Amino acid sequence: MWQTPVYDRTAADVAAGAEKCYITAELLNRIEGNTAHMAQLLGVEIDTRTWTSLGLLTRAQMQRILDNLATVRAAYYTLPGTPNIPTAPSTLYSAINDMEQVLWSPHELWQRNSVKRYAGEICAGQEIGVI
């Protein structure tokens, strides 16, 4: 199930110790869940995990998350201005912002496209059935 990503962390937030700047199970589960949601919509295979407060984010786990993001990103059109996938270890607030924003781009585009309905071919300048 899609959860609204958070990608507005700033250096001031970090200095103030804002809750949204900590790498928590909630943050990791949001990224993993949103990645899984987009992978399902786009028909690609990824490997996800459910995090608990006792989970240890290792370099290998971070690389797995980044690889999942790259798989999802490669499966769909990327909107201009979408950040690149960060490189490991990717624990800076700006890298986490980028990770969440990489998922927001295809989700936003998917949502826009899903409300459009394909209704057939358009014949420019021709009347159909007139001889």
Side-chain angles (χ1 to χ4, degrees):
M1 183 164 124
W2 181 260
Q3 296 180 46
T4 303
V6 176
Y7 52 86
D8 63 348
R9 297 167 190 88
T10 65
D13 291 332
V14 173
E19 185 68 29
K20 66 182 177 180
C21 295
Y22 290 96
I23 297 179
T24 63
E26 179 183 2
L27 165 75
L28 294 171
N29 286 328
R30 182 175 59 243
I31 292 172
E32 297 261 22
N34 286 350
T35 307
H37 177 77
M38 290 310 303
Q40 182 180 13
L41 288 176
L42 300 172
V44 293
E45 297 276 331
I46 60 169
D47 177 31
T48 61
R49 168 184 173 171
T50 301
W51 294 87
T52 67
S53 60
L54 300 176
L56 178 63
L57 179 63
T58 64
R59 187 179 186 103
Q61 288 294 334
M62 178 57 79
Q63 189 60 57
R64 180 191 52 76
I65 292 169
L66 295 171
D67 291 345
N68 286 344
L69 288 170
T71 299
V72 167
R73 184 182 180 126
Y76 204 56
Y77 180 78
T78 302
L79 291 172
T82 302
N84 292 324
I85 307 260
T87 57
S90 303
T91 55
L92 296 174
Y93 76 90
S94 58
I96 301 299
N97 282 346
D98 289 350
M99 290 169 67
E100 295 214 64
Q101 197 167 6
V102 162
L103 290 170
W104 180 252
S105 173
H107 180 266
E108 181 69 17
L109 191 57
W110 184 273
Q111 292 291 63
R112 283 192 229 161
N113 289 341
S114 69
V115 296
K116 306 272 190 251
R117 300 289 183 242
Y118 180 72
E121 298 297 324
I122 297 174
C123 297
Q126 298 178 7
E127 290 186 45
I128 307 272
V130 176
I131 299 179

